[in-house]
Amino acid sequence: MASNATKPVCPPPMKATSNGAFQGDSPLDFAVPLLIMQICLVLVLTRFIAYLLRPLKQPRVVAEIIGGILLGPSALGRNKTYLDAVFPKRSLTVLDTLANIGLIFFMFLVGLEMDPKSLSRTGKRILSISLAGISVPFALGIGTSFVLKNTISKDVDGLPFFIFMGVAFSITAFPVLARILAELKLLTTDVGRMAMSAAAVDDVTAWILLALAVALSSSGHSPIVALWVLFCGCGFVAGAIVIFRPLFAWMAKRTHEGEPVGETYICATLGAVLAAAFLTDVIGIHALFGAFVLGILVPKEGPLGVSLVEKVEDLVSGLFLPLYFASSGLKTNVATIQGIQSWGLLVLVIFTACFGKLVGVIGVSRACKVPWRESITLGVLMNSKGLVELIVLNIGKDRKVLNDQTFAIMVLMALFTTFITTPIVMIIYKPSKRAGLMGDDYKNRTIETIDVSTQLRILACFHSTKNIPTMINLIEASRGSGRQEGLCVYALHLTELSERSSAILMVHKARQNGLPFWNKGRKDSDHIVVAFDTFHQLSHVSIRPMTSISGLSNMHEDICASAESKKAAMIILPFHKHQRVDGALENTRTDFRWVNHKVLQNAPCSVGILVDRSLGGASQVSASNVSSSITVIFFGGRDDREALAYGVRMAEHPGIKLTVIHITMQLESGGEIAVIEMNEGSNTESRLLDEKVLTEFEMQIPQNPSLKYEKRLLRNSAEVVAVVQEFSKCSLYLVGRMQTGVVQPLLSGSGDCPELGTIGSLLVSPDLSTTASVLVVQQYYNQPPSDLAVVSED
């Protein structure tokens, strides 16, 4: 009877759903409502911490690690009532299961981010840096593990412990690194390319070493079992290459650009991921390795890989991974780090991890003749760990290779090394230092001041492929007479960096000369690049595709910095509305409007906002078929003069007809006309400049029959609308944003789009019947425009 009394009693398993609180059931006693509450708590806490860390440009993984620790016994878990109510022990199996399902698909995404072809083409310099970044910290990690083994980890198995510690010290988190590089706008720099390539090699090597450590930790008392695990693991990889690689290649061939990926292919791939995870778990390695291998085997060419990421990542990164951090936080008890010895070991672990990465990477980088600043930056970037190390540590904890105290020390080390990466890189590799190397002064900031024989440089920005046909047709019209080196265009693809942007999507879009840096040997290039390359071959215009990856709050910084570095005379931005099938304009995203506002306020050169109404049609028009009529509505002022100067450049093209309508206003008593009050001297100077440019334009008309000049004297806004409507059959309106020193009609709705000015707002008004595109021009001035409200960063 005594023996029966001491026998442990297991709590009954939790039922899935309750009958409701009105029938006396407590929702926290049932699996589904309890899990829902846990998910909500984790999401709210981690997102709040991420919001607090946003000014420090920290990747979200830092906030999620901190959130997981706070939910565990290190902070809130010290209250036993809270822990038993919110995270009772009998619920942890459900939580761990869901978190590990998410981890399996996350590792599939990590595998998708790895391109075996790029690894095989890795140069000797990158390979040397990567191997040094692994070998030196791996060796120091094993050395540190001897110290830990003799102090706080005496009860663990030696060989698996040493390998786990070596991997934890040497690994670099490829996804976290991609996020940091994108946040710091380094993804397309030399440092960014070297860091991403070296991190890819590091990751693959570290996962192989981790598989070895897991096999050894699963061996029990027989070394033969470890050999069987290793052999079966190698057999699984070989079988996956033979079976799944051709299958994924077949799927990729049947998936075409611009078409949605079939649901059958998506379901089959996700099912294969789960099957592979099951097989590797049966072998005794870990379920995540099977998913990782299948991710590597998915072809990186074509839309299949990107589509898989888009469909899986939101659920995994937004829901499952925070649960994984919560599950890890429940295993992390910072309170176990007590006494001088434990805190001294924490300092030793952090110093050794940072020292190993920095010494290994910087030493080899300098030997490969990488400059000092870039070498140090590369060493700091390669030291970011985050989630990947946490996965390694959790596997070691579950396999009982790491005890509670060692686990807590290593988690804090991962958090610290990831947290300090961004601030240190911002200090030693500031954008201003990079921009300061441009050389000559930036002089040609406006088209009006550029000599006709001088090369015109334009920064043409676009958000999507919808903007490309009109942008190319505008560039064709801007090439003038087609003289050699007359026009140089930088086509900047504005790509938003959002919380859901994964490494594969960011790297896939980060292009240098139109090709991904990690896949320069591809024969099939991007369709955007094909469009610009074809235009270059046909028109002989110097055109270079570029990509900006940044958040909408600071996208204007990339645009202005690119214009300054390329010494552009004009930035052309797409309007935030696009044309519907019925011809009306509708909002695409209001956020793009604020980007345009900020560019107008901070641009180092002139700015044009292009309202796209399919200039030249929905496809590129060849040079021999160009037949466009452009109308410049000239009231006066520097913006109008800039629009006229651009129009004169365009009129050099043999297929362009330019009409300039010079409108002067005669005031009516009590009418609808208002005068802009300005300093009399500046008004006189502006008027003299207006007369000068108009006189010069009239002198060109006899030699160029494609030019036409009309002068209209108007009395009210209705007559202005009538004149504008008279020329509504043209292809493009060129107008200044602000008409200074002249009278300005008070047109209804003119304040809706201050970035377009009064006349620009009239031209996009639904009351005006026209199919002409509109380019609203603001000339560079050493003071920002005062009529645009300052837009908050939110």
Side-chain angles (χ1 to χ4, degrees):
M1 295 294 294
S3 60
N4 291 336
T6 58
K7 188 175 181 179
V9 178
C10 296
M14 299 181 72
K15 292 183 179 180
T17 57
S18 69
N19 294 319
F22 292 109
Q23 298 191 38
D25 287 345
S26 172
L28 298 185
D29 292 334
F30 297 84
V32 172
L34 179 60
L35 181 63
I36 291 174
M37 193 195 70
Q38 291 171 343
I39 293 174
C40 294
L41 178 63
V42 170
L43 292 180
V44 170
L45 180 61
T46 55
R47 291 306 173 104
F48 176 71
I49 297 174
Y51 175 78
L52 295 179
L53 295 178
R54 186 189 300 174
L56 301 177
K57 295 185 180 297
Q58 291 294 326
R60 200 171 69 194
V61 63
V62 172
E64 289 171 336
I65 293 176
I66 294 175
I69 293 175
L70 292 178
L71 290 172
S74 302
L76 297 176
R78 289 177 176 270
N79 187 324
K80 193 171 184 348
T81 304
Y82 151 83
L83 203 61
D84 290 340
V86 181
F87 292 102
K89 289 185 178 180
R90 57 179 180 166
S91 74
L92 297 184
T93 301
V94 177
L95 183 65
D96 284 346
T97 301
L98 196 60
N100 277 278
I101 291 293
L103 179 63
I104 289 171
F105 285 108
F106 172 77
M107 289 307 301
F108 172 67
L109 295 177
V110 173
L112 271 173
E113 293 164 358
M114 303 294 176
D115 187 357
K117 294 181 181 179
S118 68
L119 296 180
S120 65
R121 290 191 299 269
T122 301
K124 292 182 179 179
R125 182 172 69 168
I126 298 299
L127 188 61
S128 302
I129 293 174
S130 178
L131 292 179
I134 280 188
S135 57
V136 176
F138 187 85
L140 292 178
I142 291 179
T144 305
S145 65
F146 277 100
V147 178
L148 297 175
K149 182 82 169 62
N150 293 325
T151 51
I152 61 174
S153 301
K154 295 180 180 180
D155 55 338
V156 299
D157 193 6
L159 184 58
F161 176 69
F162 296 149
I163 298 179
F164 266 104
M165 292 295 292
V167 172
F169 272 68
S170 60
I171 202 166
T172 298
F174 184 88
V176 175
L177 180 60
R179 163 67 57 177
I180 292 174
L181 288 171
E183 288 280 4
L184 298 179
K185 306 183 188 303
L186 297 176
L187 201 56
T188 54
T189 63
D190 290 336
V191 169
R193 289 193 292 273
M194 287 191 292
M196 290 298 287
S197 299
V201 178
D202 268 18
D203 255 16
V204 173
T205 306
W207 289 120
I208 294 173
L209 292 173
L210 183 60
L212 174 63
V214 171
L216 292 174
S217 66
S218 305
S219 61
H221 299 286
S222 174
I224 298 178
V225 176
L227 290 176
W228 270 112
V229 171
L230 288 175
F231 285 144
C232 290
C234 294
F236 166 79
V237 173
I241 294 174
V242 172
I243 298 173
F244 290 108
R245 189 174 181 180
L247 180 62
F248 290 146
W250 177 79
M251 291 181 184
K253 287 181 180 178
R254 295 178 62 88
T255 305
H256 305 290
E257 289 283 357
E259 298 180 3
V261 179
E263 181 185 358
T264 304
Y265 298 156
I266 300 294
C267 292
T269 303
L270 299 183
V273 170
L274 293 175
F278 173 77
L279 288 176
T280 49
D281 191 78
V282 169
I283 291 172
I285 302 179
H286 196 284
L288 62 85
F289 287 101
F292 177 70
V293 170
L294 253 66
I296 292 180
L297 296 179
V298 174
K300 305 306 181 282
E301 297 84 1
L304 178 61
V306 175
S307 180
L308 285 167
V309 171
E310 290 176 340
K311 292 182 180 297
V312 175
E313 187 189 26
D314 283 344
L315 185 63
V316 171
S317 63
L319 185 65
F320 288 134
L321 280 186
L323 290 184
Y324 186 78
F325 287 109
S327 176
S328 303
L330 294 172
K331 303 173 187 175
T332 306
N333 190 357
V334 178
T336 58
I337 307 176
Q338 296 178 346
I340 297 178
Q341 182 189 66
S342 296
W343 287 105
L345 291 174
L346 174 62
V347 173
L348 174 65
V349 166
I350 292 175
F351 173 79
T352 307
C354 297
F355 181 79
K357 277 288 184 183
L358 291 173
V359 169
V361 173
I362 295 174
V364 176
S365 298
R366 289 297 300 146
C368 295
K369 299 182 179 180
V370 178
W372 270 109
R373 181 180 293 148
E374 283 73 10
S375 298
I376 297 174
T377 304
L378 196 58
V380 175
L381 287 170
M382 295 289 288
N383 199 36
S384 60
K385 302 182 186 301
L387 173 61
V388 179
E389 181 172 358
L390 198 62
I391 294 172
V392 174
L393 298 176
N394 272 287
I395 295 175
K397 184 78 163 56
D398 294 338
R399 303 274 170 164
K400 303 190 183 303
V401 176
L402 304 177
N403 59 25
D404 291 343
Q405 193 171 354
T406 306
F407 181 78
I409 288 175
M410 296 301 292
V411 168
L412 292 181
M413 183 268 285
L415 178 62
F416 178 82
T417 54
T418 306
F419 185 88
I420 65 172
T421 299
T422 300
I424 293 179
V425 172
M426 291 177 66
I427 293 173
I428 65 179
Y429 204 69
K430 290 183 179 179
S432 57
K433 293 182 179 179
R434 302 196 301 272
L437 302 176
M438 290 189 297
D440 297 335
D441 292 337
Y442 181 19
K443 297 177 180 177
N444 296 325
R445 298 174 182 268
T446 68
I447 298 178
E448 184 184 8
T449 57
I450 297 178
D451 187 82
V452 179
S453 60
T454 306
Q455 184 187 62
L456 174 62
R457 296 189 174 193
I458 294 176
L459 180 71
C461 305
F462 61 96
H463 297 292
S464 67
T465 54
K466 293 179 180 179
N467 306 130
I468 292 178
T470 293
M471 195 66 72
I472 288 182
N473 291 331
L474 180 64
I475 294 170
E476 167 60 33
S478 304
R479 71 181 179 91
S481 60
R483 59 183 177 274
Q484 192 70 18
E485 300 298 329
L487 176 66
C488 179
V489 178
Y490 298 91
L492 184 61
H493 187 186
L494 303 176
T495 305
E496 180 188 0
L497 172 66
S498 63
E499 287 293 337
R500 65 181 297 276
S501 298
S502 69
I504 185 174
L505 291 178
M506 289 186 292
V507 175
H508 185 71
K509 293 174 181 177
R511 301 183 181 277
Q512 188 73 14
N513 293 326
L515 291 175
F517 71 83
W518 67 346
N519 208 2
K520 290 185 178 179
R522 280 179 56 179
K523 295 181 180 179
D524 58 319
S525 50
D526 190 272
H527 56 284
I528 293 177
V529 182
V530 171
F532 285 121
D533 187 58
T534 303
F535 172 72
H536 168 70
Q537 298 297 330
L538 294 175
S539 65
H540 303 290
V541 172
S542 176
I543 185 166
R544 178 174 177 179
M546 306 187 326
T547 295
S548 162
I549 302 178
S550 55
L552 289 175
S553 62
N554 58 6
M555 186 175 285
H556 67 287
E557 296 176 1
D558 278 2
I559 298 171
C560 296
S562 298
E564 187 163 3
S565 65
K566 304 305 180 184
K567 300 180 177 61
M570 176 172 281
I571 300 170
I572 297 179
L573 300 168
F575 190 45
H576 69 278
K577 296 182 180 181
H578 76 277
Q579 189 177 31
R580 295 196 310 239
V581 178
D582 61 359
L585 294 173
E586 65 176 1
N587 278 317
T588 49
R589 284 187 58 180
T590 308
D591 295 338
F592 292 146
R593 179 184 185 181
W594 309 135
V595 174
N596 291 352
H597 275 232
K598 292 177 183 179
V599 173
L600 288 169
Q601 292 170 329
N602 300 281
C605 61
S606 296
V607 180
I609 297 181
L610 178 62
V611 181
D612 181 6
R613 288 195 179 110
S614 300
L615 175 64
S619 60
Q620 178 187 335
V621 179
S622 62
S624 59
N625 294 330
V626 171
S627 179
S628 300
S629 58
I630 298 176
T631 300
V632 176
I633 302 177
F634 190 94
F635 285 89
R638 57 174 172 265
D639 290 353
D640 280 13
R641 292 195 300 272
E642 186 75 358
L644 177 58
Y646 190 23
V648 171
R649 279 264 187 172
M650 299 172 77
E652 295 179 3
H653 193 290
I656 300 293
K657 294 181 180 180
L658 176 65
T659 302
V660 177
I661 311 300
H662 181 200
I663 298 178
T664 55
M665 303 296 298
Q666 180 178 352
L667 290 178
E668 281 186 345
S669 59
E672 305 161 338
I673 306 299
V675 178
I676 298 179
E677 296 181 0
M678 296 184 60
N679 178 278
E680 183 179 352
S682 62
N683 197 3
T684 303
E685 181 183 355
S686 177
R687 187 168 58 251
L688 291 175
L689 289 173
D690 293 343
E691 293 175 357
K692 178 183 176 182
V693 297
L694 290 172
T695 301
E696 292 175 352
F697 177 75
E698 286 186 272
M699 293 173 61
Q700 299 180 40
I701 294 178
Q703 289 79 28
N704 190 346
S706 64
L707 302 181
K708 185 179 179 181
Y709 175 75
E710 293 187 20
K711 190 171 183 178
R712 301 290 182 92
L713 180 63
L714 307 179
R715 292 182 298 274
N716 52 49
S717 59
E719 292 185 357
V720 174
V721 175
V723 169
V724 172
Q725 187 70 63
E726 180 182 341
F727 294 89
S728 61
K729 299 298 182 183
C730 68
S731 305
L732 175 70
Y733 283 109
L734 266 174
V735 297
R737 196 178 77 83
M738 293 293 293
Q739 292 74 37
T740 56
V742 295
V743 292
Q744 179 183 19
L746 296 178
L747 300 169
S748 59
S750 61
D752 294 343
C753 297
E755 67 271 27
L756 298 183
T758 305
I759 301 301
S761 297
L762 167 65
L763 293 172
V764 301
S765 170
D767 299 330
L768 187 71
S769 176
T770 180
T771 58
S773 297
V774 182
L775 184 64
V776 180
V777 177
Q778 173 185 281
Q779 188 179 68
Y780 169 76
Y781 191 57
N782 54 13
Q783 294 179 0
S786 58
D787 62 314
L788 293 177
V790 178
V791 184
S792 66
E793 292 299 320
D794 295 335

